[in-house]
Amino acid sequence: MRIMIVDDEVHIGMMLEKVLTRSGDIKVTYFDNPITALSHFQRGEYDGVLLDIMMPQKDGISVLEAIKVKDSECIVIMMTAYSTLDKVLQSHKIGADHYLLKPFESLSNVEKKVRELIKSRK
């Protein structure tokens, strides 16, 4: 499995990368800048994206839209510490597959959800 993580908080991105790669069957590419992440995103290259909503360079909703234009089948899991019903509805309308609140209750549950969503599409 190939996963892209996009989060401007480096400690969260690195923590997620460590958890997701520990079993050896997931390859992670981490970006702390959403603009850079989008420039590297190619159709079919990633099975899923973990995407923060609130980032200073570009908000996650805009990034989600761009990802879905490039690859409508890619699983996208939105992440945020600032949950609003408006953002949840907007992201689901665009095509987000799941929504995770930070801080995460359990990193193991994050890994489990990523695996579950990707396997459901294959």
Side-chain angles (χ1 to χ4, degrees):
M1 280 186 255
R2 290 197 44 126
I3 304 294
M4 175 186 277
I5 298 171
V6 185
D7 195 316
D8 63 309
E9 296 179 73
V10 175
H11 66 280
I12 290 176
M14 300 300 280
M15 177 181 59
L16 286 168
E17 181 177 23
K18 183 177 180 179
V19 167
L20 292 173
T21 58
R22 68 183 168 199
S23 65
D25 65 333
I26 297 177
K27 182 172 169 110
V28 171
T29 306
Y30 167 65
F31 295 95
D32 64 357
N33 183 307
I35 297 166
T36 305
L38 275 177
S39 72
H40 286 87
F41 186 87
Q42 299 295 323
R43 178 178 176 79
E45 186 174 349
Y46 296 97
D47 298 301
V49 177
L50 289 167
L51 177 60
D52 189 23
I53 289 182
M54 303 294 284
M55 295 178 281
Q57 304 92 343
K58 188 174 187 77
D59 72 275
I61 299 295
S62 299
V63 177
L64 170 64
E65 288 175 324
I67 287 171
K68 288 299 183 173
V69 165
K70 288 183 177 186
D71 187 351
S72 63
E73 296 300 311
C74 185
I75 299 288
V76 180
I77 300 171
M78 305 301 288
M79 306 180 294
T80 190
Y82 310 101
S83 176
T84 65
L85 183 56
D86 180 52
K87 293 287 186 192
V88 171
L89 293 174
Q90 189 178 7
S91 65
H92 279 292
K93 184 177 180 180
I94 296 167
D97 297 279
H98 195 68
Y99 202 87
L100 295 173
L101 293 177
K102 295 189 235 173
F104 308 116
E105 286 185 28
S106 162
L107 289 173
S108 294
N109 286 344
V110 172
E111 178 186 13
K112 181 180 175 184
K113 182 51 76 176
V114 168
R115 289 176 181 281
E116 179 183 294
L117 285 169
I118 291 173
K119 286 181 182 178
S120 73
R121 287 277 173 97
K122 289 189 174 189

